[in-house]
């Protein structure tokens, strides 16, 4: 059974993951209107992943006798300055999410809730990957600068990446 403190902290994280999904969905939609099909495919996929992060938490809270609360929708920004600024925002956002996960892990230790602590290790590893990927993409975009041809190939790379991400997920579900 979850303590009220851990239950509250997990529900706060459900809200964070839900907002991440909305945020990336708004970025995906903006990128699509700019003709950046690869960037938008990648971001639509990322938005789905964040929804899955939220769902995983809801199910865990319910399994442990709590109540996973579906949060209200908060509107993310509608337009973005550039592709580079989108990925810079993602990196900044993911760094904040990492610190939220760390505080959450901290509260499970304070409450001596070792099973939630164990469950959260998946999120700890996921955050390392998400931050590393965002950082790698920001670095690539810095190299590209204002080169339109470079941006075209970058968009194609992200399209390919989005396809691999889809395949990886299907394989994981089969396991
Ligand atoms: Fe859920 O990892 Fe990003 O926010």
């Amino acid at each position: 059974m979850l303590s009220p403190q851990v239950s509250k902290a997990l529900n706060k994280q459900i809200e964070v993951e839900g907002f991440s999904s909305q945020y990336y969905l708004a970025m995906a939609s903006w990128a699509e209107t700019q003709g950046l099909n690869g960037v938008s495919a990648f971001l639509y996929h990322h938005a789905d992943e964040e929804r899955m992060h939220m769902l995983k938490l809801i199910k865990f809270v319910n399994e442990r006798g709590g109540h996973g609360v579906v949060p209200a929708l908060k509107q993310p920004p509608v337009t973005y300055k550039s592709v580079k600024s989108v990925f810079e925002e993602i990196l900044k956002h993911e760094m904040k999410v990492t610190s939220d996960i760390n505080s959450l892990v901290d509260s499970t230790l304070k409450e001596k809730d070792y099973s939630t602590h164990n469950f959260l290790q998946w999120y700890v590893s996921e955050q390392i990957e998400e931050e590393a990927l965002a950082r790698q993409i920001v670095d690539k975009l810095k190299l590209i600068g204002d080169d339109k041809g470079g941006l075209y190939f970058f968009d194609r790379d992200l399209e390919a990446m989005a396809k691999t991400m889809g395949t990886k997920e299907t394989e994981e579900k089969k396991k």
Side-chain angles (χ1 to χ4, degrees):
M1 187 81 181
L2 294 171
S3 73
Q5 288 86 339
V6 172
S7 179
K8 196 170 158 212
L10 286 168
N11 266 303
K12 212 171 129 223
Q13 192 59 33
I14 288 173
E15 201 177 331
V16 168
E17 302 291 344
F19 181 71
S20 298
S21 180
Q22 285 287 102
Y23 199 12
Y24 299 155
L25 188 57
M27 290 171 173
S29 179
W30 171 81
E32 198 163 43
T33 64
Q34 305 301 303
L36 295 157
N37 293 343
V39 172
S40 74
F42 176 88
L43 292 169
Y44 278 127
H45 195 274
H46 203 164
D48 284 350
E49 273 192 6
E50 297 297 351
R51 185 178 179 279
M52 188 273 284
H53 296 174
M54 173 177 68
L55 199 59
K56 209 174 157 87
L57 281 161
I58 291 177
K59 288 188 170 280
F60 179 79
V61 171
N62 292 345
E63 265 166 24
R64 298 278 319 278
H67 187 169
V69 178
V70 177
L73 295 177
K74 222 173 30 185
Q75 188 178 26
V78 177
T79 55
Y80 299 85
K81 233 174 50 210
S82 62
V83 177
K84 188 162 151 270
S85 78
V86 162
F87 284 96
E88 281 169 347
E89 283 189 38
I90 293 179
L91 177 57
K92 207 167 94 195
H93 182 71
E94 289 304 331
M95 284 163 74
K96 166 78 177 62
V97 175
T98 301
S99 105
D100 292 340
I101 295 283
N102 289 344
S103 320
L104 184 53
V105 170
D106 213 38
S107 62
T108 61
L109 287 180
K110 277 191 196 116
E111 290 294 306
K112 297 193 182 354
D113 182 345
Y114 302 114
S115 50
T116 303
H117 183 270
N118 186 40
F119 165 78
L120 289 173
Q121 294 316 301
W122 184 87
Y123 287 84
V124 171
S125 317
E126 181 69 14
Q127 280 313 118
I128 297 174
E129 274 182 34
E130 292 216 346
E131 269 194 44
L133 181 61
R135 205 164 276 126
Q136 198 187 319
I137 295 179
V138 167
D139 286 346
K140 249 192 207 169
L141 286 164
K142 278 186 191 152
L143 281 176
I144 292 168
D146 293 329
D147 176 9
K148 290 250 181 336
L151 191 61
Y152 172 78
F153 285 111
F154 170 83
D155 191 57
R156 282 203 357 197
D157 278 359
L158 281 206
E159 189 150 34
M161 211 189 270
K163 277 191 190 133
T164 340
M165 286 158 101
T167 323
K168 237 176 36 193
E169 234 165 57
T170 326
E171 272 165 15
E172 260 167 37
K173 272 187 196 146
K174 275 192 211 150
K175 277 181 203 166

